[in-house]
Amino acid sequence: MIKTRDTLVSVVDDDESVREALPDLIRIFGFDVRAFSSAAEFLDSEWLKKTDCLVLDVAMPGMSGPELQEELVRRGEKIPIVFITAHKDENERIPLLQGGAVDCLFKPFSDVALQEALDRALR
C-alpha cells in the first residue's frame, strides 16, 4: 500500500496525552488519523470500516486491546494492529504477535519504531 493522506490510521488509547501526541506524529508520517478513547468508541464509529491500520493500547478500562482484536476477528474485520503498552513484559507481547498483531511497542517508543511498525502493517 502506498502511503497517502487517504490511508487512515486509528489510535485507540484511554490516555488523553497519547491521544493528543500520537496523532500529530502519525500525521507527520503522511497518514490521516483518528483517535478514540475506548474500544467501544472505535467500534461504534463510522471510521471502523475506513481504518487501514489500528494503533491500539493493550490495557484499557472496559474492553482491552486484545479483546478488541478478538472482536474485530469475530466480525471479520481484517485491520492490521500495532499494539502499544506501558507494561514491558515479553510474556504479554508474544501472545499478541501470535494473535496476528504486526508489532507490540513498549512505551515510550521512538518515532522511528512506530514508523517502521506502521510501514510493515500497511505493506
Side-chain angles (χ1 to χ4, degrees), residues 89-103:
D89 182 355
E90 200 62 34
N91 292 325
E92 182 180 84
R93 184 177 185 267
I94 292 168
L96 296 173
L97 297 173
Q98 290 172 338
V102 174
D103 207 338

PDB file of all heavy atoms in Angstrom, residues 89-103:
ATOM      1  N   ASP A  89       6.570  -6.312  29.286  1.00  0.00           N
ATOM      2  CA  ASP A  89       6.506  -7.734  29.620  1.00  0.00           C
ATOM      3  C   ASP A  89       6.484  -8.546  28.333  1.00  0.00           C
ATOM      4  O   ASP A  89       5.491  -8.555  27.605  1.00  0.00           O
ATOM      5  CB  ASP A  89       5.245  -8.004  30.453  1.00  0.00           C
ATOM      6  CG  ASP A  89       5.131  -9.448  30.885  1.00  0.00           C
ATOM      7  OD1 ASP A  89       5.969 -10.284  30.481  1.00  0.00           O
ATOM      8  OD2 ASP A  89       4.187  -9.749  31.637  1.00  0.00           O
ATOM      9  N   GLU A  90       7.596  -9.204  28.062  1.00  0.00           N
ATOM     10  CA  GLU A  90       7.711 -10.006  26.840  1.00  0.00           C
ATOM     11  C   GLU A  90       6.659 -11.120  26.813  1.00  0.00           C
ATOM     12  O   GLU A  90       6.180 -11.514  25.759  1.00  0.00           O
ATOM     13  CB  GLU A  90       9.130 -10.582  26.742  1.00  0.00           C
ATOM     14  CG  GLU A  90       9.529 -11.006  25.356  1.00  0.00           C
ATOM     15  CD  GLU A  90       9.553  -9.887  24.321  1.00  0.00           C
ATOM     16  OE1 GLU A  90       9.888  -8.737  24.648  1.00  0.00           O
ATOM     17  OE2 GLU A  90       9.227 -10.173  23.151  1.00  0.00           O
ATOM     18  N   ASN A  91       6.276 -11.616  28.004  1.00  0.00           N
ATOM     19  CA  ASN A  91       5.255 -12.674  28.075  1.00  0.00           C
ATOM     20  C   ASN A  91       3.884 -12.159  27.653  1.00  0.00           C
ATOM     21  O   ASN A  91       3.011 -12.938  27.271  1.00  0.00           O
ATOM     22  CB  ASN A  91       5.181 -13.268  29.484  1.00  0.00           C
ATOM     23  CG  ASN A  91       6.432 -14.043  29.825  1.00  0.00           C
ATOM     24  OD1 ASN A  91       7.035 -14.692  28.974  1.00  0.00           O
ATOM     25  ND2 ASN A  91       6.846 -13.954  31.078  1.00  0.00           N
ATOM     26  N   GLU A  92       3.654 -10.860  27.752  1.00  0.00           N
ATOM     27  CA  GLU A  92       2.411 -10.253  27.276  1.00  0.00           C
ATOM     28  C   GLU A  92       2.490 -10.000  25.766  1.00  0.00           C
ATOM     29  O   GLU A  92       1.510 -10.146  25.048  1.00  0.00           O
ATOM     30  CB  GLU A  92       2.172  -8.934  28.019  1.00  0.00           C
ATOM     31  CG  GLU A  92       0.885  -8.238  27.650  1.00  0.00           C
ATOM     32  CD  GLU A  92       0.716  -6.939  28.420  1.00  0.00           C
ATOM     33  OE1 GLU A  92       1.281  -5.913  27.966  1.00  0.00           O
ATOM     34  OE2 GLU A  92       0.023  -6.939  29.445  1.00  0.00           O
ATOM     35  N   ARG A  93       3.665  -9.637  25.306  1.00  0.00           N
ATOM     36  CA  ARG A  93       3.885  -9.265  23.905  1.00  0.00           C
ATOM     37  C   ARG A  93       3.743 -10.459  22.962  1.00  0.00           C
ATOM     38  O   ARG A  93       3.124 -10.353  21.898  1.00  0.00           O
ATOM     39  CB  ARG A  93       5.276  -8.650  23.796  1.00  0.00           C
ATOM     40  CG  ARG A  93       5.647  -8.118  22.455  1.00  0.00           C
ATOM     41  CD  ARG A  93       7.048  -7.475  22.524  1.00  0.00           C
ATOM     42  NE  ARG A  93       7.373  -6.866  21.270  1.00  0.00           N
ATOM     43  CZ  ARG A  93       8.042  -7.474  20.297  1.00  0.00           C
ATOM     44  NH1 ARG A  93       8.459  -8.713  20.444  1.00  0.00           N
ATOM     45  NH2 ARG A  93       8.289  -6.845  19.166  1.00  0.00           N
ATOM     46  N   ILE A  94       4.312 -11.587  23.346  1.00  0.00           N
ATOM     47  CA  ILE A  94       4.348 -12.761  22.466  1.00  0.00           C
ATOM     48  C   ILE A  94       2.952 -13.221  22.034  1.00  0.00           C
ATOM     49  O   ILE A  94       2.709 -13.414  20.844  1.00  0.00           O
ATOM     50  CB  ILE A  94       5.173 -13.901  23.106  1.00  0.00           C
ATOM     51  CG1 ILE A  94       6.648 -13.467  23.157  1.00  0.00           C
ATOM     52  CG2 ILE A  94       5.014 -15.205  22.354  1.00  0.00           C
ATOM     53  CD1 ILE A  94       7.526 -14.353  24.012  1.00  0.00           C
ATOM     54  N   PRO A  95       1.979 -13.382  22.961  1.00  0.00           N
ATOM     55  CA  PRO A  95       0.643 -13.811  22.517  1.00  0.00           C
ATOM     56  C   PRO A  95      -0.031 -12.803  21.580  1.00  0.00           C
ATOM     57  O   PRO A  95      -0.803 -13.201  20.701  1.00  0.00           O
ATOM     58  CB  PRO A  95      -0.156 -13.950  23.819  1.00  0.00           C
ATOM     59  CG  PRO A  95       0.836 -14.000  24.914  1.00  0.00           C
ATOM     60  CD  PRO A  95       2.071 -13.322  24.418  1.00  0.00           C
ATOM     61  N   LEU A  96       0.268 -11.517  21.755  1.00  0.00           N
ATOM     62  CA  LEU A  96      -0.321 -10.504  20.875  1.00  0.00           C
ATOM     63  C   LEU A  96       0.184 -10.698  19.445  1.00  0.00           C
ATOM     64  O   LEU A  96      -0.585 -10.624  18.484  1.00  0.00           O
ATOM     65  CB  LEU A  96       0.014  -9.102  21.373  1.00  0.00           C
ATOM     66  CG  LEU A  96      -0.552  -8.730  22.742  1.00  0.00           C
ATOM     67  CD1 LEU A  96       0.006  -7.386  23.196  1.00  0.00           C
ATOM     68  CD2 LEU A  96      -2.077  -8.709  22.712  1.00  0.00           C
ATOM     69  N   LEU A  97       1.484 -10.939  19.323  1.00  0.00           N
ATOM     70  CA  LEU A  97       2.064 -11.172  18.000  1.00  0.00           C
ATOM     71  C   LEU A  97       1.562 -12.487  17.411  1.00  0.00           C
ATOM     72  O   LEU A  97       1.239 -12.565  16.225  1.00  0.00           O
ATOM     73  CB  LEU A  97       3.592 -11.151  18.078  1.00  0.00           C
ATOM     74  CG  LEU A  97       4.204  -9.819  18.521  1.00  0.00           C
ATOM     75  CD1 LEU A  97       5.703  -9.958  18.718  1.00  0.00           C
ATOM     76  CD2 LEU A  97       3.882  -8.703  17.545  1.00  0.00           C
ATOM     77  N   GLN A  98       1.450 -13.515  18.247  1.00  0.00           N
ATOM     78  CA  GLN A  98       0.929 -14.803  17.779  1.00  0.00           C
ATOM     79  C   GLN A  98      -0.537 -14.678  17.374  1.00  0.00           C
ATOM     80  O   GLN A  98      -1.007 -15.413  16.512  1.00  0.00           O
ATOM     81  CB  GLN A  98       1.097 -15.870  18.865  1.00  0.00           C
ATOM     82  CG  GLN A  98       2.538 -16.263  19.081  1.00  0.00           C
ATOM     83  CD  GLN A  98       2.743 -17.180  20.277  1.00  0.00           C
ATOM     84  OE1 GLN A  98       1.937 -17.238  21.195  1.00  0.00           O
ATOM     85  NE2 GLN A  98       3.854 -17.907  20.260  1.00  0.00           N
ATOM     86  N   GLY A  99      -1.235 -13.715  17.985  1.00  0.00           N
ATOM     87  CA  GLY A  99      -2.642 -13.490  17.660  1.00  0.00           C
ATOM     88  C   GLY A  99      -2.852 -12.664  16.409  1.00  0.00           C
ATOM     89  O   GLY A  99      -3.986 -12.359  16.042  1.00  0.00           O
ATOM     90  N   GLY A 100      -1.759 -12.276  15.763  1.00  0.00           N
ATOM     91  CA  GLY A 100      -1.888 -11.591  14.487  1.00  0.00           C
ATOM     92  C   GLY A 100      -1.448 -10.141  14.471  1.00  0.00           C
ATOM     93  O   GLY A 100      -1.482  -9.495  13.425  1.00  0.00           O
ATOM     94  N   ALA A 101      -1.044  -9.591  15.615  1.00  0.00           N
ATOM     95  CA  ALA A 101      -0.588  -8.197  15.623  1.00  0.00           C
ATOM     96  C   ALA A 101       0.687  -8.069  14.796  1.00  0.00           C
ATOM     97  O   ALA A 101       1.508  -8.980  14.750  1.00  0.00           O
ATOM     98  CB  ALA A 101      -0.334  -7.728  17.054  1.00  0.00           C
ATOM     99  N   VAL A 102       0.846  -6.930  14.144  1.00  0.00           N
ATOM    100  CA  VAL A 102       2.042  -6.657  13.348  1.00  0.00           C
ATOM    101  C   VAL A 102       3.235  -6.392  14.263  1.00  0.00           C
ATOM    102  O   VAL A 102       4.347  -6.808  13.983  1.00  0.00           O
ATOM    103  CB  VAL A 102       1.796  -5.450  12.422  1.00  0.00           C
ATOM    104  CG1 VAL A 102       3.064  -5.045  11.691  1.00  0.00           C
ATOM    105  CG2 VAL A 102       0.685  -5.757  11.442  1.00  0.00           C
ATOM    106  N   ASP A 103       2.967  -5.692  15.377  1.00  0.00           N
ATOM    107  CA  ASP A 103       4.036  -5.360  16.314  1.00  0.00           C
ATOM    108  C   ASP A 103       3.412  -5.024  17.656  1.00  0.00           C
ATOM    109  O   ASP A 103       2.200  -4.800  17.761  1.00  0.00           O
ATOM    110  CB  ASP A 103       4.856  -4.163  15.807  1.00  0.00           C
ATOM    111  CG  ASP A 103       6.297  -4.168  16.322  1.00  0.00           C
ATOM    112  OD1 ASP A 103       6.570  -4.817  17.358  1.00  0.00           O
ATOM    113  OD2 ASP A 103       7.150  -3.529  15.687  1.00  0.00           O
TER     114      ASP A 103
END
